[in-house]
Structure formats: C-alpha cells, structure tokens
Amino acid sequence: MPNLSTPIKSGVHRAACFALYRALLRQSRQVLPLEPARHFKKFTKDAFRANSKARRHEQIRTALCVGYGALGDLALKRSDIIEQLWKLSQYLETERELRGRKEARIEKSALVKGPSGKKGPGSGRRRPYPGAKPVLDGLPPPLPGNYRHVPTLVNANHIPFLRLKKPQSPFLSYFIRKKNVEREKRIDSIQALEDQLALAAAEDQWDRILLEHHQISDEGNEVPWTSAVREALVNVKRVHHTNAVKRMRTAQRMFDILQEQKQLADQERLDRRDRRHQAYKVRRSQRETMDDLSPWK
C-alpha cells in the first residue's frame, strides 16, 4: 500500500517548498534575461500549483528533485539552459508575429471577398456593381409573387444604415469601421488641441514678459501662439460638426424610406387580403351555381 501523507499540514515541508519557490524566482531574475525569466516564472508557478495537492511520497520526491535540479542549473549559470530558454522566447515571439500577420491577412481578404468567400472579377476594388441604385434614392419594388421586405434602421456607433438583409455586406462593415476611426481621430485631435491651447497661452504670456522687461521679441514670427492653435481647433470642430449634421440628415432620409416601406408593406398586405377575399367569393359563387344545376338537388 503506498505511503500517504498530508504535506500541507507539515510546517517543515511547507517552509522547504516556499524556500525553493522563492529561490527559483530569485535566481531566474538574476541569471536569465528578461523574456526567458518571465516564461520561467510562469512555468514555475504552474508547476508548484499543479503539485500543491500531491500526497504520494514518490510524486513529492520527484517534484522536489526537479525543482532542486533547476535551482542547481540556475546557480551554475549553464549556458545551454539559458540558450534553450532564449530560443523558446524567440520561438514564441515569432509565432505571435506570424499569428498577427495571418489575422491581418484574413481580415483584409474578408474585405475584398464577397459574401460567398470567392473572389470575382474586380473584387479588389471597393465599388458598387454597374447600374446599382443608391439606397437613399429609394428601394426597388419586390419581385412578382414575393412579399416586400421592410429594412431595419440600425445605429452603428452613431453611424446610421439600413440593414436590408443578412449576412451583412463586408463592404458595409469596412465603411463603418473607417468612419468610426476617422471620428475618433477628430475627437483625439480636438482634445489634444484644447490641451495645447493652454500651453500656447503660456508661451504668449512669456513673450510679453520678455518684450516688456528685456525688449526681446521674435521679429520673424509676429503671430501669437494661441492664434494658430485656435485656428486648427476651429477647423477640426467645423469638420466634426459638418459630419455630425450629415449623419443626422442621412438618418432622417433613411427614416423616411423606412416609413415609406412600412406603409407600402401594409398596403400590399391589405391588397393581398382583398384579393384572397375576392377569390373566395368567386369560388363560393361558382360552387353555389354548380349546386343549383346539379340534377341530384
């Protein structure tokens, strides 16, 4: 029968394990470079956490021998261990870069490819097909025998658009992301220029102090610092406000189209109901006529 013990209740065992754990982390920081030391620290924590519930003497002895062996290798500063750990960190870094490139390539191909995932002629150009009618000019009527599909007005982070069908077009996703990035850049520019306005006012005050007390002036640049910053801030705010007004007008036009489509769908539903009712009346009258002409009546 295997010999069992409860190491967590042994003070001597706990003290030895904590001492080994601290020694491994301290030696790794002193011996290994930054990147391998970080990986070694994670490996050490995972190993101690995995063996914290060990109860068999053989398992505990094996884990401690591995830990003391690693501590001895670190103390001797063996170059082969350091080299292997460095190669491991380089391999992980290379894998991370390759994964990032692959994800960027997949995202780029998703923007170029159509919904089916296959490239067609001219698929690398983000432009509508020939003869396409803009959505804001009105939606085409449904095909004969089909019901009218009422679109959904969606607010995608303050960018309105009409969702006509699913799945969503990758070109529409590209457009929304592009507009969001542009708006975020304008907001960041406004905040940066507002912060620079206070610095420009301090620079103007310093120039006035030099001119009043020491008669020192910048003859080549008579324009105040605040005027250039304020002009740039006004231009960015004007562009930001213009785009906001344009989005509001676009949303209003889309809302009008949505209401129009709802009214047309309701009217077409009533027309279909009337046609069904008229067809039922015709069938009923024909059935009554056949009953009157029947010789068995």
Side-chain angles (χ1 to χ4, degrees):
M1 183 175 181
N3 190 8
L4 301 178
S5 62
T6 308
I8 195 172
K9 296 182 180 180
S10 176
V12 177
H13 179 75
R14 286 171 54 86
C17 291
F18 279 121
L20 177 60
Y21 178 77
R22 289 192 294 267
L24 286 171
L25 297 185
R26 183 172 58 252
Q27 289 290 338
S28 64
R29 290 195 301 267
Q30 296 176 357
V31 175
L32 302 178
L34 180 61
E35 190 69 18
R38 188 173 60 186
H39 293 293
F40 185 84
K41 180 179 180 181
K42 183 179 182 305
F43 175 79
T44 304
K45 286 184 177 181
D46 294 340
F48 271 83
R49 187 179 295 111
N51 293 291
S52 61
K53 303 296 182 180
R55 297 175 60 87
R56 295 180 179 274
H57 285 181
E58 293 81 5
Q59 188 177 1
I60 296 172
R61 187 182 302 108
T62 302
L64 290 177
C65 289
V66 172
Y68 284 115
L71 181 62
D73 294 336
L74 290 174
L76 295 175
K77 298 182 181 180
R78 291 187 176 180
S79 59
D80 55 344
I81 297 179
I82 298 176
E83 184 179 358
Q84 292 295 329
L85 291 174
W86 178 251
K87 288 182 179 180
L88 176 61
S89 64
Q90 292 294 326
Y91 172 77
L92 295 175
E93 188 69 24
T94 305
E95 287 293 326
R96 191 179 300 112
E97 293 179 359
L98 293 176
R99 191 183 305 111
R101 294 176 184 176
K102 183 178 180 180
E103 292 176 356
R105 186 166 59 252
I106 292 175
E107 183 179 2
K108 184 177 179 180
S109 63
L111 295 177
V112 174
K113 295 180 180 179
S116 62
K118 298 180 180 180
K119 293 186 177 180
S123 58
R125 298 171 296 177
R126 297 184 181 93
R127 62 180 63 178
Y129 59 87
K133 187 178 179 181
V135 177
L136 296 181
D137 292 345
L139 297 178
L143 297 176
N146 295 335
Y147 293 164
R148 181 181 296 273
H149 174 71
V150 179
T152 305
L153 182 59
V154 182
N155 179 15
N157 198 4
H158 302 287
I159 297 179
F161 72 94
L162 286 174
R163 188 173 63 196
L164 304 178
K165 62 180 181 178
K166 292 183 179 181
Q168 181 173 296
S169 171
F171 306 109
L172 180 59
S173 302
Y174 168 77
F175 174 79
I176 293 174
R177 285 196 298 268
K178 182 180 178 182
K179 290 299 181 182
N180 284 329
V181 170
E182 291 177 355
R183 190 176 73 253
E184 290 175 359
K185 287 183 178 179
R186 287 194 296 269
I187 294 175
D188 294 339
S189 300
I190 291 173
Q191 294 177 354
L193 289 172
E194 288 177 349
D195 295 338
Q196 292 179 6
L197 193 60
L199 298 176
E203 290 290 342
D204 290 339
Q205 184 179 2
W206 176 250
D207 291 342
R208 289 193 297 269
I209 292 174
L210 292 179
L211 182 61
E212 292 175 0
H213 295 278
H214 303 284
Q215 290 75 38
I216 300 176
S217 63
D218 190 1
E219 298 178 356
N221 186 13
E222 300 296 337
V223 180
W225 293 83
T226 53
S227 62
V229 178
R230 190 175 290 108
E231 181 181 359
L233 182 60
V234 170
N235 292 334
V236 177
K237 285 185 176 181
R238 183 187 302 112
V239 174
H240 187 67
H241 177 71
T242 303
N243 283 272
V245 173
K246 187 183 299 184
R247 290 196 304 271
M248 291 175 59
R249 293 176 179 174
T250 303
Q252 184 62 41
R253 293 178 62 184
M254 291 181 177
F255 181 76
D256 296 339
I257 292 174
L258 179 62
Q259 295 299 320
E260 179 185 0
Q261 293 295 316
K262 286 183 178 179
Q263 294 177 2
L264 291 174
D266 294 340
Q267 184 62 37
E268 292 173 358
R269 184 168 58 253
L270 294 177
D271 294 342
R272 289 193 299 269
R273 187 189 64 181
D274 294 340
R275 288 195 298 268
R276 288 195 301 267
H277 186 64
Q278 292 294 334
Y280 172 75
K281 291 175 65 176
V282 171
R283 291 194 305 269
R284 182 176 179 180
S285 63
Q286 292 177 354
R287 187 167 56 249
E288 292 177 353
T289 304
M290 294 296 295
D291 291 341
D292 294 338
L293 298 177
S294 177
W296 303 100
K297 184 174 180 181

